[in-house]
Amino acid sequence: MDRNLALELVRVTEAAALACGRWVGKGDKNSADDAATEAMRRTLDSIDINGTVVIGEGEMDEAPMLYIGEKVGHDGGADVDIAVDPLEGTSICAKGMTGAITTIALAPRGGFLHAPDMYMDKIAVGPQACGVIDITASPEENLKRVAEAKSCYIQDLTVVILDRPRHEKIIGEVRKAGARIHLISDGDVAPAIAATVADSGVDMMLGIGGAPEGVLAAAALKCMGGGMQGRLVFLSSEEKDRARAMGIDDFDRIYSAEEMAGGDVFFAATGVTNGELLRGVRYFSGGAETHSIVMRSKSRTVRFIKAEHQFDFKPVY
Ligand code: VTB
């Protein structure tokens, strides 16, 4: 695939961030999400791809745009599958809290796990600890192994966990093991990626969040040589039926990053609000500044891009 597609993808996440950035702190998560989705949809059509959305805003009857199965781009472009989360952390954005991002990933046809909209148990770490994690082991065991791989004490490690009652047990176990915890209210994709960035202050992301977002995080971690495992969490037999319909029949399977995002994968994200991974959109007279990350698994080049946008000279959706 053309490596320049990576830079095209940044344009998409930048446009989405500039659009939903206007909704930061306004208490209206749906409008923020709509703004990001619309901007992403429009910019996607300007890219030279013949794409199908496989991770998106939902099924066709519940999402007007970027729904699963929707075609984007045009005939003759590169045949790709697309995973999007136009605004990861809609509530964070609505409350003006930290960690909201806009994000997209691209893989050759069939590259992404078609993850149903349900929960996934996840563990993500950086390259040094890539080969030592085991989602079936206790948090203490994983922390011991990561500390050893990083040549540090467990007390030096910081684990990001979604602040939910379902995580009470693992939070207790991580505390007992001695590691530091950063509890977040929403948005576990950015911290999973941050775990692979040396100076982010995050060493591990742990716990149950959305499965589609697990695939997006896997795409990024694959590009960065990070380690990730994910296992779907089924809350009902209806969810198992939905998974079966999407081609999943081994319900206990543990997926690696490679198994969730196969082939030559591209990933891009732009900060909406400040976070451990990216700075949020900052507006100034006549324009705004964005901070993005873009990467490609084939070359493993990771770029952080700070961009200045002048509204008089470009369309803002
Ligand atoms: C949210 C969201 C995450 O998972 O937590 C969601 O903030 C599912 O958890 O970023 P809840 O149902 O408890 O809110 C994510 O969307 C992604 O993993």
Side-chain angles (χ1 to χ4, degrees):
M1 265 194 287
D2 179 2
R3 63 184 182 179
N4 289 323
L5 273 178
L7 292 178
E8 297 287 353
L9 289 186
V10 177
R11 290 205 175 87
V12 175
T13 55
E14 282 175 353
L18 288 169
C20 67
R22 293 292 191 194
W23 290 95
V24 168
K26 299 229 164 102
D28 183 353
K29 64 179 190 170
N30 292 334
S31 295
D33 198 33
D34 289 350
T37 307
E38 192 178 343
M40 198 173 255
R41 179 72 184 81
R42 285 196 198 197
T43 37
L44 263 175
D45 268 347
S46 66
I47 302 185
D48 201 16
I49 51 169
N50 181 12
T52 307
V53 177
V54 296
I55 299 276
E57 289 286 272
E59 312 290 318
M60 196 197 310
D61 48 3
E62 64 195 47
M65 255 185 273
L66 295 177
Y67 54 82
I68 296 162
E70 184 175 350
K71 303 282 178 210
V72 293
H74 47 83
D75 290 343
D79 270 331
V80 294
D81 279 349
I82 289 169
V84 292
D85 195 352
L87 177 54
E88 156 67 349
T90 51
S91 299
I92 301 174
C93 177
K95 291 181 193 161
M97 291 165 72
T98 55
I101 58 170
T102 59
T103 181
I104 188 166
L106 194 147
R109 283 254 186 276
F112 290 126
L113 170 70
H114 291 201
D117 192 7
M118 59 180 63
Y119 284 127
M120 178 183 271
D121 198 5
K122 314 169 199 178
I123 180 168
V125 292
Q128 287 162 291
C130 171
V132 305
I133 49 168
D134 177 0
I135 200 166
T136 65
S138 66
E140 185 183 12
E141 179 58 31
N142 277 304
L143 285 164
K144 252 190 217 159
R145 295 183 191 181
V146 173
E148 203 178 305
K150 293 187 125 178
S151 303
C152 66
Y153 298 110
I154 290 182
Q155 284 76 4
D156 301 333
L157 298 175
T158 301
V159 185
V160 174
I161 304 174
L162 276 167
D163 192 6
R164 297 289 190 276
R166 63 175 177 268
H167 290 149
E168 222 170 89
K169 185 163 177 273
I170 60 164
I171 290 169
E173 286 175 30
V174 172
R175 283 185 179 146
K176 198 158 162 243
R180 287 150 40 102
I181 297 183
H182 177 184
L183 290 175
I184 52 167
S185 68
D186 276 298
D188 65 6
V189 176
I193 301 169
T196 69
V197 177
D199 64 352
S200 69
V202 178
D203 300 283
M204 182 188 286
M205 195 283 293
L206 199 61
I208 296 172
E213 293 86 349
V215 174
L216 275 156
L221 265 74
K222 178 177 159 170
C223 295
M224 304 174 95
M228 181 170 172
Q229 292 178 346
R231 184 168 50 181
L232 292 169
V233 176
F234 297 93
L235 300 180
S236 64
S237 57
E238 186 263 327
E239 285 195 344
K240 288 190 174 168
D241 292 342
R242 267 171 45 213
R244 232 180 253 117
M246 291 176 87
I248 294 164
D249 39 30
D250 180 355
F251 298 139
D252 299 317
R253 182 164 169 187
I254 294 164
Y255 296 92
S256 64
E258 175 62 36
E259 287 164 338
M260 289 191 263
D264 187 7
V265 171
F266 292 66
F267 177 93
T270 299
V272 178
T273 59
N274 287 339
E276 276 144 341
L277 181 68
L278 296 165
R279 280 168 63 150
V281 182
R282 283 154 197 237
Y283 295 90
F284 51 79
S285 171
E289 180 188 294
T290 53
H291 194 207
S292 306
I293 185 170
V294 59
M295 46 207 171
R296 179 179 177 224
S297 62
K298 196 169 174 184
S299 61
R300 287 212 183 162
T301 309
V302 177
R303 292 185 170 87
F304 283 94
I305 300 181
K306 186 173 139 187
E308 272 186 26
H309 309 268
Q310 306 292 339
F311 297 153
D312 284 346
F313 298 90
K314 71 188 285 181
V316 176
Y317 300 113

